[in-house]
Amino acid sequence: MKGKLIIIPNKTIEEEKFELDITEDEYHLSGYQSFSDKYDLGYKFSEEEHQIAPLEIAEDGHLSLKTTEEESTLIFYLPEIITERQMNYVKNNITKFQNYKIVGSYSIRKIDQNIYKEEIMGLNNTLQKIKQKYEQNLINKNNHTL
């Protein structure tokens, strides 16, 4: 499955982004494992966890994108809070995102100690959710500085 894996880390990682080309022999899961290994996140994903891995990375606050070129698919995994770095990446790459035929996302939301996953279809709906999460982050920041 040829494609890309792009992870825009949360604030705990200084690097701007983690990017990996996915070849025919390699799956996105190995990219998530490489990201975890590189930054000592402690994950040990098994092959059965190929759908869980991106959600767990998002739970840690990292924004990730998976593409598959053959199917012209782009899937976002949205953390609960979108940081300024993550928002800037999205803004700077909107024209690239528009080239994909199928776009969707999974959005993480924490309520109390429970974690919920919302499925979102379409680029416009995904961008709207990203903006909403970023704006909520700004509101939370401003409330903490009062």
Side-chain angles (χ1 to χ4, degrees), residues 37-58:
D37 294 346
K38 181 174 182 175
Y39 298 108
D40 297 320
L41 302 180
Y43 288 108
K44 298 291 179 224
F45 298 120
S46 66
E47 283 186 37
E48 300 83 45
E49 295 178 307
H50 68 277
Q51 293 181 327
I52 294 170
L55 296 171
E56 290 190 7
I57 295 294

Side-chain angles (χ1 to χ4, degrees), residues 24-146:
E24 299 287 344
D25 305 312
E26 192 177 9
Y27 294 101
H28 291 93
L29 177 66
S30 61
Y32 284 106
Q33 189 61 58
S34 296
F35 177 74
S36 174
D37 294 346
K38 181 174 182 175
Y39 298 108
D40 297 320
L41 302 180
Y43 288 108
K44 298 291 179 224
F45 298 120
S46 66
E47 283 186 37
E48 300 83 45
E49 295 178 307
H50 68 277
Q51 293 181 327
I52 294 170
L55 296 171
E56 290 190 7
I57 295 294
E59 283 176 33
D60 279 350
H62 310 291
L63 169 70
S64 71
L65 302 85
K66 289 186 342 186
T67 69
T68 56
E69 299 310 320
E70 296 91 7
E71 299 161 351
S72 189
T73 302
L74 169 61
I75 302 172
F76 290 82
Y77 294 88
L78 310 178
E80 184 168 25
I81 293 170
I82 297 292
T83 65
E84 189 169 347
R85 176 195 315 173
Q86 292 165 340
M87 187 68 193
N88 287 337
Y89 177 83
V90 170
K91 283 181 184 176
N92 292 335
N93 289 281
I94 286 176
T95 54
K96 287 181 190 175
F97 303 154
Q98 293 169 337
N99 293 330
Y100 290 90
K101 290 180 184 166
I102 301 167
V103 179
S105 59
Y106 294 96
S107 176
I108 297 296
R109 187 165 168 226
K110 296 177 186 174
I111 300 175
D112 299 322
Q113 295 302 315
N114 298 315
I115 296 170
Y116 298 92
K117 172 186 76 169
E118 177 186 3
E119 192 171 337
I120 300 165
M121 300 303 291
L123 179 58
N124 288 340
N125 293 335
T126 296
L127 294 174
Q128 188 175 0
K129 180 59 85 172
I130 290 170
K131 183 180 177 193
Q132 179 185 22
K133 287 173 168 275
Y134 176 67
E135 288 172 352
Q136 186 60 50
N137 181 26
L138 293 179
I139 291 167
N140 293 344
K141 267 189 199 174
N142 289 336
N143 287 341
H144 289 299
T145 58
L146 296 178

